[in-house]
Amino acid sequence: MQRQGATRLGPLLLLLLPLAWAGEQPVSPRLAGQAARVALHYLNYRQGSPSALRALGQVRKATLKAIPGIGHKYYLQFTTEDYKSSQDVGTCLATVLYLKRKPRPAVNINCTYTKDQKQTREDDYSFYKKMRQQTKSIIGNEIPDNDGNIEPDLEPVWALAVAGSSYIMWEKSTENLGYFMAQVKNVKQWITKDDSTDFDYTVILHEIPTQEMISCHLRVIWIPGHPLKVKYFCLSENQSSESGEGSGIESGSTTGIFNEKEANF
Ligand SMILES: *[C@@H]1O[C@H](CO)[C@@H](O)[C@H](O)[C@H]1NC(C)=O
Ligand SMILES: *[C@@H]1O[C@H](CO)[C@@H](O)[C@H](O)[C@H]1NC(C)=O
């Protein structure tokens, strides 16, 4: 009897866990989805793996705590899907803190991952190897095209743009404004002498709910297994401009927020 009680403790703890979130307010589905996507932008950028990109599945739980003088903190539990196949790839727990008067939400995220990680590493590496062997720069326009199709050869090039754009989307997101990457307008590869792969992109980001289209010039430098290096410069329809850069080392956690915007891109 005693032993049986002990084995039940695990599930019981899982049931009690949400109580630690007591005192927080429920959240509208729109804001919950918005915050979960911010957490995934952060994850997709930080992982720097074009083969392991995730999209939002379903938000299972979302609460919000207003922290006076600091901002709004969301506590989230959600499922994720593989960006390409839409297959379920695991569940995430995340906190997203929108700070008052500061860009770039502070994100803390832990996920399970059900996709074969050996396979994603191999896919990343074979793309990398292929890019390193290019003697002529890869050049592409309008990915996906107007019919929504992506040429198989350009698919990983597009996926790397999603990973890089995730940095911009994470940095620009606010509690009320979210972003999707709509299209790679054009891409040009730079042939480098070092170990990296290097791409220049123009990407179109779709801002919601404003429906504004934002054009960003994005430079992505990538080596598999290493943090992405990203530099960007964006121009919105309203001609306001913004720039920034990231190297995969900045922390999104509440203890290490800093902002190193640069205007000299
Ligand atoms: C993620 O895991 C770390 C280490 O176990 C923990 O400190 C952090 O609170 C977790 N974050 C979330 C959002 O659960
Ligand atoms: C441009 O700015 C104005 C004023 O701030 C705003 O009303 C308008 O919706 C903006 N345009 C777009 C396309 O977002």
Side-chain angles (χ1 to χ4, degrees):
M1 289 314 241
Q2 199 66 30
R3 215 177 121 49
Q4 226 175 33
T7 53
R8 284 206 191 113
L9 209 57
L12 187 66
L13 281 178
L14 280 179
L15 283 173
L16 288 176
L17 205 59
L19 290 181
W21 292 353
E24 290 142 13
Q25 313 156 24
V27 183
S28 77
R30 186 179 77 79
L31 291 180
Q34 160 65 11
R37 277 186 209 95
V38 171
L40 284 176
H41 290 329
Y42 175 71
L43 185 75
N44 284 337
Y45 156 64
R46 279 301 285 258
Q47 291 208 318
S49 166
S51 308
L53 294 173
R54 301 195 203 205
L56 180 60
Q58 274 183 338
V59 178
R60 296 251 189 260
K61 238 178 240 142
T63 52
L64 157 65
K65 194 154 94 184
I67 309 172
I70 307 236
H72 284 173
K73 188 167 186 179
Y74 287 71
Y75 297 80
L76 307 153
Q77 189 191 332
F78 53 88
T79 62
T80 59
E81 295 176 349
D82 182 76
Y83 210 92
K84 289 164 238 172
S85 69
S86 296
Q87 272 182 338
D88 185 87
V89 285
T91 304
C92 303
L93 279 181
T95 58
V96 174
L97 173 59
Y98 297 105
L99 295 150
K100 276 187 180 157
R101 292 184 295 274
K102 266 196 192 161
R104 187 194 279 175
V107 176
N108 193 310
I109 180 167
N110 296 322
C111 301
T112 60
Y113 195 48
T114 56
K115 200 174 169 184
D116 183 354
Q117 298 194 39
K118 188 163 166 275
Q119 188 61 49
T120 55
R121 271 198 301 273
E122 280 172 13
D123 290 349
D124 277 353
Y125 191 73
S126 66
F127 166 52
Y128 170 76
K129 216 169 114 197
K130 206 169 144 199
M131 292 303 107
R132 293 292 307 157
Q133 286 165 351
Q134 278 313 115
T135 47
K136 244 182 73 199
S137 293
I138 297 251
I139 288 181
N141 287 300
E142 316 215 314
I143 321 169
D145 65 21
N146 291 335
D147 299 323
N149 298 319
I150 298 179
E151 224 181 281
D153 268 0
L154 288 175
E155 203 272 346
V157 177
W158 166 83
L160 188 61
V162 174
S165 297
S166 295
Y167 177 78
I168 311 178
M169 297 191 282
W170 164 46
E171 191 160 274
K172 288 175 79 68
S173 289
T174 66
E175 195 167 7
N176 291 303
L177 287 183
Y179 298 88
F180 291 90
M181 195 190 89
Q183 194 184 42
V184 170
K185 208 76 195 153
N186 55 61
V187 55
K188 181 178 190 293
Q189 180 189 15
W190 294 96
I191 306 286
T192 57
K193 289 208 172 65
D194 62 13
D195 288 343
S196 63
T197 53
D198 195 336
F199 293 90
D200 253 338
Y201 295 99
T202 305
V203 296
I204 307 294
L205 305 182
H206 184 186
E207 187 179 85
I208 50 165
T210 60
Q211 304 295 343
E212 192 175 348
M213 291 296 181
I214 298 165
S215 172
C216 298
H217 181 210
L218 172 68
R219 183 82 175 253
V220 177
I221 299 176
W222 179 65
I223 303 176
H226 289 255
L228 278 182
K229 286 198 183 123
V230 176
K231 271 191 180 188
Y232 73 89
F233 176 85
C234 296
L235 216 54
S236 72
E237 284 171 12
N238 269 352
Q239 301 297 304
S240 60
S241 71
E242 268 178 278
S243 64
E245 82 178 271
S247 55
I249 50 159
E250 57 282 275
S251 169
S253 78
T254 49
T255 46
I257 306 144
F258 61 97
N259 177 31
E260 23 67 285
K261 277 189 182 296
E262 277 197 6
N264 61 348
F265 183 36

